[in-house]
Amino acid sequence: MKVLVLNTGSSSVKYQLFKMPEELVLCSGTIERIGDTEARIRHNSSKCSVDKPLTIPTHKFALKYIVGLLLDKDKGEVQSIEEIEAVGHRVVHGGHTFKSTVEITSEVKSKIKELFTLAPLHNPSNLEGINVAESIFKKAKQAAIFDTSFHQTIPLKAYKYAIPNEFLDNHHIRLFGFHGTSHKYVSQKAIDYLDNKKAKIISIHLGNGCSISAIRNGESKDHSLGFSPFNGLIMGTRSGDIDHTLIFYLVNTLNYELDEVKSILQSKSGMLGLTGFNDLRDIIAEAKRGNKKCKLALEMNAYRIKKYIGSYVAAMNGLDCIIFTAGIGENSKLIREMVCSEMDIFGIELDEEKNNKSKSGILEINKNNSKVKILVIPTNEELEIARQTFDLFK
């Protein structure tokens, strides 16, 4: 079965075409900055490599361009659209409704739309990708894989908020958790590496969006993101944890409109708000030049992660392994060093020489006598989505 995986963002489409169950990647690529004058396509397969600027006004145009590459008579991977039997879509928020991967129906799409307000940066573009894919791949089965599904194993004592019971009972207001596809993939890799199905693991997903999960026996037990993907760790443009009375103060005392506050906390805070830079590489470079704001932002970022590690060690009564994953987690040696410094009380001891190395696959960066394994594991959300899509339709 050929499975196309689509991860549709607000201004991008990531894709991979798999031959399943062999898990063979036939091609992969990204179209970035859709609707911008600086849109770009990056496409790789055994037959061709494309990296060039394009005019990509809409998601529909982007997907049609991708299909054109797939069907190219000389360089394409399929001879007809019908060869693609299934399309797997990443959907960020599944609410209380979706506990596993589902085939997409009109009812499923309606539920995804109902959750727009809880994941405004993600669910609208996820649904747009589904609608466009249905119009192009008319005979393919479509599957939705939800970031929230992996966290359905979080116990009531951890996901319930200390607010009146009616808000959970009648309105399903609770911690849902996100980045579940990534946390599931890398934690299973760690379990196999450790050869320990009962391992107590802390998985740290660090990208523009960030989250941290406590995982025991292969199941999510707690998570830093909650009702929506706003709280927890300091992110690229999102504040993470704040005192919620700050919102009332901004509105009632400083006379901000609610929409303005939402924009500030969602799009103008985090590392961007602290430094004026949105790219961690720029922030690190500025910090090395002596920029005090950038130095402080890096310290705050690492400190927040440390606090969550401590709380999750307590919640699981122990720790066997820490995972760093996603763009920053996999590539920033400095962040890994800052997070793991002065953590020997938990048995976390980083080996600086190992941390400075790079390799494909799993990289172990702890000292030989460290009680806790520190692993850098490249995430592969697309492969996890392909697996779940294939399992649904095989």
Side-chain angles (χ1 to χ4, degrees):
M1 179 188 291
K2 289 180 179 176
V3 176
L4 178 64
V5 172
L6 295 176
N7 184 347
T8 309
S10 58
S11 61
S12 67
V13 177
K14 296 179 183 178
Y15 61 93
Q16 287 194 37
L17 179 64
F18 291 87
K19 183 180 179 183
M20 300 295 287
E22 296 88 342
E23 299 186 355
L24 176 65
V25 179
L26 301 178
C27 70
S28 63
T30 305
I31 293 182
E32 299 173 331
R33 300 189 178 187
I34 295 170
D36 193 299
T37 55
E38 297 181 0
R40 193 169 197 90
I41 170 73
R42 292 182 176 88
H43 174 90
N44 289 289
S45 74
S46 59
K47 297 180 179 179
C48 72
S49 180
V50 179
D51 186 347
K52 64 180 183 180
L54 283 176
T55 300
I56 305 285
T58 64
H59 286 81
K60 188 170 186 178
F61 191 100
L63 278 173
K64 285 186 174 180
Y65 192 90
I66 293 167
V67 170
L69 288 172
L70 297 178
L71 292 172
D72 187 283
K73 66 177 182 178
D74 297 319
K75 302 176 181 178
E77 297 296 333
V78 296
Q79 295 182 353
S80 71
I81 284 182
E82 283 71 25
E83 286 184 42
I84 297 174
E85 298 177 63
V87 182
H89 299 267
R90 179 201 179 199
V91 181
V92 166
H93 211 313
H96 73 283
T97 303
F98 301 108
K99 295 178 172 58
S100 60
T101 296
V102 297
E103 183 170 4
I104 293 171
T105 63
S106 57
E107 182 181 359
V108 168
K109 290 196 291 183
S110 294
K111 292 290 185 181
I112 292 171
K113 190 172 183 179
E114 288 177 12
L115 295 163
F116 276 11
T117 56
L118 301 187
L121 295 179
H122 304 91
N123 271 36
S125 53
N126 297 156
L127 183 58
E128 173 72 5
I130 290 169
N131 289 330
V132 173
E134 286 180 332
S135 70
I136 295 173
F137 305 100
K138 298 182 185 297
K139 294 186 178 180
K141 294 181 178 179
Q142 311 275 337
I145 294 82
F146 298 92
D147 277 11
T148 47
S149 294
F150 178 62
H151 302 295
Q152 293 295 321
T153 52
I154 293 176
L156 177 64
K157 66 182 180 182
Y159 75 68
K160 186 173 181 178
Y161 294 122
I163 56 178
N165 292 321
E166 63 188 78
F167 290 105
L168 175 61
D169 298 339
N170 300 332
H171 305 288
H172 311 289
I173 295 175
R174 49 160 288 182
L175 181 152
F176 286 109
F178 298 90
H179 295 138
T181 307
S182 175
H183 289 297
K184 180 179 180 180
Y185 178 83
V186 296
S187 62
Q188 187 56 58
K189 283 283 187 181
I191 287 168
D192 294 341
Y193 182 86
L194 299 170
D195 192 23
N196 180 4
K197 293 181 179 180
K198 296 182 178 180
K200 297 174 181 178
I201 295 169
I202 292 177
S203 174
I204 311 170
H205 178 108
L206 301 176
N208 191 50
C210 302
S211 66
I212 181 167
S213 286
I215 299 166
R216 187 173 65 232
N217 302 330
E219 296 182 340
S220 178
K221 297 301 180 183
D222 206 345
H223 185 75
S224 61
L225 294 170
F227 183 57
S228 71
F230 277 61
N231 63 306
L233 305 181
I234 297 171
M235 294 171 254
T237 64
R238 284 169 271 175
S239 65
D241 288 340
I242 60 167
D243 180 345
H244 52 266
T245 57
L246 171 63
I247 297 171
F248 307 130
Y249 185 81
L250 289 172
V251 172
N252 298 328
T253 304
L254 299 186
N255 299 317
Y256 282 87
E257 297 291 332
L258 269 176
D259 284 345
E260 289 181 281
V261 175
K262 181 179 178 181
S263 176
I264 289 168
L265 297 179
Q266 177 176 280
S267 305
K268 300 175 183 178
S269 295
M271 298 299 279
L272 176 64
L274 292 171
T275 68
F277 298 96
N278 194 24
D279 192 307
L280 186 72
R281 291 167 295 187
D282 294 331
I283 296 170
I284 291 174
E286 284 293 315
K288 288 179 178 178
R289 294 188 189 103
N291 186 315
K292 292 182 179 180
K293 290 181 179 178
C294 290
K295 284 184 177 180
L296 177 60
L298 291 170
E299 291 171 359
M300 290 172 64
N301 189 306
Y303 181 73
R304 183 76 58 86
I305 297 169
K306 285 170 174 275
K307 287 208 300 183
Y308 270 92
I309 290 173
S311 67
Y312 287 168
V313 172
M316 293 190 292
N317 190 28
L319 180 64
D320 296 304
C321 172
I322 285 179
I323 301 168
F324 287 96
T325 193
I328 293 171
E330 293 168 30
N331 296 298
S332 179
K333 301 168 186 177
L334 177 62
I335 291 296
R336 297 196 300 257
E337 180 182 346
M338 292 179 73
V339 169
C340 294
S341 67
E342 299 181 341
M343 295 285 276
D344 50 294
I345 186 67
F346 298 119
I348 300 168
E349 297 185 72
L350 182 81
D351 187 303
E352 291 185 17
E353 185 177 342
K354 291 178 182 177
N355 187 43
N356 287 323
K357 292 180 179 179
S358 60
K359 59 170 284 191
S360 59
I362 297 176
L363 175 64
E364 183 177 323
I365 59 174
N366 52 273
K367 291 181 179 179
N368 293 336
N369 62 346
S370 176
K371 293 181 181 179
V372 173
K373 295 288 186 184
I374 308 171
L375 305 178
V376 181
I377 304 180
T379 192
N380 194 334
E381 293 171 280
E382 286 77 19
L383 176 56
E384 183 62 34
I385 290 170
R387 288 172 175 171
Q388 294 188 38
T389 301
F390 175 74
D391 288 342
L392 182 67
F393 295 131
K394 66 182 179 182

